[in-house]
Amino acid sequence: MARTFGVIRFPGSNCDEDALHVVQNVLAEQQSQGRLLWHKDSKLGDVDALIVPGGFSYGDYLRAGAMAAHAPIMQAVKEFASAGGPVLGICNGFQILCEAGLLEGSLARNVGLRFVCKDVYCRVEGKPTPFTRDIPAGRHIKMSIAHAEGRYVHPDIERLEGEAQVVFRYCDADGGVSEASNPNGSVNNIAGVCNAMGNVVGLMPHPERACESILGGGGDEGLSLFVSALNTLGVAQ
Amino acid sequence: MKAKIYVTLKSGVLDPQGQAVGRTLAKLGFDGVGEVRIGKYVEIDMHGQDAGKARTEVAKMCEELIANTVIENYRIEIDEAK
């Protein structure tokens, strides 16, 4: 049976079609399908997992993700998440999930003040989540980032680390974590985190842009997040 | 009446924008410039309420939307003359 990813579109989303393309076309042979959900909807319908995509929802007014966090559909997203449904927030989607209180911490202005757009490596670690369960712990994958507000901040970082809620950490091509491999000044090189239950994941890098090796030099390692979710949902490969 | 809201980054949260402005001020020759912190200022016209009630309402607005209390503080002034 096919599994359906709901991709939420807000005014200003611009990675929604990319995410939909991955779950609908790139992974079609893995019994995956996708459906766009409109921010004004109050029901999610029959979806197995949710993707909150990147972009500039509501023009990033006030703060990135601040308005989208209060969009009508977010109540349904909260109910889906608290029932254990897998939710992946990418870039602006990560900011939205933090603003909505579904993930801890916040994304502040990059240390260098610049919009940073480049390929990075991220080490996968932390507790198992639907999107990282199939990726061997300690492995690092290549994805691109494109953001101005990606500096992860958390008021009690020791607790977050202690609970193994850090799932992606910026590293270099050899997997080494250093200040040089930190593109935006995030505390402890954090690129992505999960909630206490592990079913809600947010990250600044764009896995959906690293799913087909034919595109640029990014490779297709981002695909592993979506394949992992499909395997978690129980689709025969 | 008018509610005036000042949203500022919590102390300890790095403010690269403030740092950049501070460096530029120093380049312009302003001596004795210490740390510079940049925040936001929001004005809200409030209708038909007394000042106390307005303050309570605006504090709720700050908690729910106007400030991100993970990284920001807010301060409210109620101007009854406006």
Side-chain angles (χ1 to χ4, degrees):
Chain A
M1 199 183 87
R3 295 294 181 178
T4 306
F5 288 84
V7 180
I8 302 174
R9 173 182 279 172
F10 299 92
S13 295
N14 64 12
C15 302
D16 43 345
E17 292 286 353
D18 304 51
L20 190 69
H21 170 68
V22 171
V23 294
Q24 187 139 286
N25 303 326
V26 181
L27 286 169
E29 283 179 18
Q30 275 83 24
Q31 297 285 298
S32 172
Q33 57 189 30
R35 184 193 304 149
L36 280 175
L37 301 169
W38 185 231
H39 70 120
K40 281 186 178 166
D41 293 345
S42 55
K43 289 197 169 68
L44 303 176
D46 195 15
V47 298
D48 301 295
L50 281 177
I51 298 173
V52 189
F56 298 87
S57 57
Y58 298 85
D60 273 356
Y61 292 164
L62 192 64
R63 292 179 308 277
M67 302 295 165
H70 297 282
I73 202 165
M74 290 308 290
Q75 191 50 44
V77 174
K78 285 177 186 174
E79 285 161 17
F80 183 82
S82 65
V87 182
L88 180 67
I90 302 166
C91 196
N92 189 223
F94 183 16
Q95 295 163 337
I96 292 167
L97 293 178
C98 287
E99 284 282 342
L102 284 168
L103 288 172
E104 297 174 38
S106 182
L107 284 316
R109 195 77 180 264
N110 293 348
V111 153
L113 289 175
R114 288 197 184 89
F115 186 97
V116 181
C117 183
K118 65 174 184 179
D119 289 336
V120 296
Y121 292 89
C122 288
R123 199 169 74 191
V124 180
E125 50 183 89
K127 64 169 68 185
T129 77
F131 303 97
T132 55
R133 192 164 290 173
D134 281 3
I135 306 170
R139 202 184 135 199
H140 57 289
I141 60 178
K142 190 179 177 186
M143 294 179 279
S144 62
I145 53 168
H147 61 248
E149 280 103 16
R151 174 168 52 102
Y152 187 74
V153 177
H154 191 286
D156 187 358
I157 196 63
E158 282 75 23
R159 185 184 54 73
L160 193 83
E161 293 275 8
E163 302 285 336
Q165 283 175 248
V166 176
V167 287
F168 295 99
R169 214 183 289 275
Y170 297 112
C171 65
D172 57 33
D174 301 316
V177 174
S178 67
E179 210 171 311
S181 61
N182 188 341
N184 53 25
S186 289
V187 61
N188 295 2
N189 281 45
I190 292 171
V193 300
C194 69
N195 63 346
M197 263 164 84
N199 62 311
V200 180
V201 174
L203 77 168
M204 289 312 295
H206 287 271
E208 84 284 13
R209 293 186 192 176
C211 288
E212 292 165 287
S213 49
I214 194 172
L215 293 177
D220 61 359
E221 294 177 324
L223 203 56
S224 53
L225 277 77
F226 304 98
V227 171
S228 183
L230 285 171
N231 288 337
T232 305
L233 290 166
V235 173
Q237 290 295 295
Chain B
M1 74 187 75
K2 212 179 258 303
K4 300 176 173 179
I5 305 159
Y6 301 85
V7 181
T8 49
L9 281 175
K10 285 184 176 175
S11 62
V13 176
L14 182 75
D15 181 6
Q17 228 184 148
Q19 287 179 339
V21 170
R23 281 193 296 272
T24 302
L25 288 173
K27 263 187 232 160
L28 288 171
F30 290 100
D31 294 328
V33 173
E35 193 183 20
V36 179
R37 309 277 290 172
I38 293 178
K40 288 185 192 118
Y41 173 67
V42 181
E43 269 186 8
I44 302 175
D45 284 327
M46 301 288 289
H47 302 300
Q49 301 188 53
D50 64 71
K53 203 173 156 203
R55 183 178 289 276
T56 312
E57 277 286 290
V58 173
K60 265 200 242 167
M61 294 177 201
C62 289
E63 292 287 333
E64 282 182 37
L65 179 66
I66 294 171
N68 177 342
T69 54
V70 176
I71 53 171
E72 293 170 330
N73 289 321
Y74 59 87
R75 181 166 61 82
I76 300 164
E77 282 174 13
I78 302 291
D79 187 347
E80 291 183 80
K82 295 279 169 69

